[in-house]
Amino acid sequence: MEHCKRAVKLMHDYTSIFINSIRTIVSVIALSFLIAGCSQSLSDYKQTTPAFDLKQYFDGDIKAWGLVTDRNGLVKRRFTATINASWQGDQGVLDESFEFDDGERQHRLWRLTKIGDQYTGSAGDVVGEAAGSVVGFAMNWQYQLMIEVDGEPWTVGVNDWLYQLDDDVVINIGKLTKFGIEVGQITLFMQKQS
């Protein structure tokens, strides 16, 4: 009889653990949907102005200043950049040169294609193709980028949001993710040169 009581208690304990695990999983799933529902969407910017004309803004010389922060918001690097941009029809080139506060220099050459309000792009350190859309004064641009972290190559997801504040100023906020987890952010202030 004692053996049966222990078996029933053990069954009850496992059932409680199983039910609590199911509750935890359901809570995580519900929280994920809630967070996804709260995230911004390009449609949030339909009525905003000025209308972001990527071809017009990224035509000529642009100066930029930026910060790289870790997932806790701590500034890890600062940089300046120059961008020389040009378009031939719906084909664009952004020639970017970066100089970081530790002396490192980087170069990225973007080749862009405009299809309506959609854009695609490629660059040497971009895995596959970048894709983005413009609505109102905002652009959302997503791609996979190869970077080096502590001497190791990483591929991170980049979710860039660009906002055109006026004819000369664009702010870019990019979230960096690895395995779906945010690992950092890049904030960039761009000013078109006359």
Side-chain angles (χ1 to χ4, degrees):
M1 187 69 163
E2 188 63 35
H3 179 70
C4 288
K5 285 182 181 178
R6 277 187 277 160
V8 168
K9 182 176 180 340
L10 189 59
M11 177 78 88
H12 179 269
D13 290 345
Y14 281 131
T15 302
S16 294
I17 291 170
F18 177 74
I19 289 171
N20 286 335
S21 297
I22 294 296
R23 284 183 185 145
T24 301
I25 291 169
V26 168
S27 297
V28 168
I29 290 170
L31 183 59
S32 297
F33 281 117
L34 179 63
I35 290 169
C38 294
S39 65
Q40 67 184 344
S41 164
L42 269 175
S43 63
D44 295 334
Y45 301 107
K46 281 182 188 173
Q47 305 303 320
T48 61
T49 58
F52 193 173
D53 185 338
L54 205 72
K55 286 175 60 174
Q56 183 179 12
Y57 185 81
F58 288 104
D59 185 22
D61 294 325
I62 297 162
K63 180 82 174 160
W65 300 264
L67 301 170
V68 179
T69 56
D70 66 13
R71 66 178 172 220
N72 298 315
L74 181 67
V75 176
K76 301 306 262 181
R77 303 181 85 187
R78 293 170 287 151
F79 63 91
T80 58
T82 56
I83 304 167
N84 182 271
S86 61
W87 289 83
Q88 297 266 332
D90 286 335
Q91 304 297 311
V93 174
L94 303 183
D95 191 348
E96 303 175 330
S97 296
F98 300 89
E99 185 171 341
F100 289 84
D101 58 331
D102 60 7
E104 180 185 354
R105 293 175 185 264
Q106 290 182 9
H107 180 257
R108 181 173 300 117
L109 184 69
W110 280 102
R111 298 197 181 280
L112 307 178
T113 300
K114 181 181 189 304
I115 307 162
D117 287 337
Q118 309 284 316
Y119 292 85
T120 60
S122 61
D125 54 355
V126 172
V127 178
E129 191 171 66
S133 300
V134 174
V135 172
F137 86 124
M139 177 182 192
N140 183 229
W141 182 244
Q142 298 178 13
Y143 54 96
Q144 299 288 314
L145 183 68
M146 291 292 300
I147 63 171
E148 192 173 294
V149 177
D150 298 326
E152 297 292 322
W154 276 30
T155 300
V156 293
V158 181
N159 186 13
D160 275 337
W161 283 90
L162 291 86
Y163 306 100
Q164 184 171 10
L165 301 185
D166 61 30
D167 289 343
D168 296 327
V169 176
V170 168
I171 293 179
N172 180 66
I173 301 169
K175 293 192 178 187
L176 308 176
T177 58
K178 181 78 174 167
F179 304 121
I181 298 168
E182 187 174 339
V183 295
Q185 182 170 297
I186 297 174
T187 304
L188 188 66
F189 172 86
M190 291 178 265
Q191 185 170 39
K192 193 164 181 170
Q193 305 298 292
S194 301

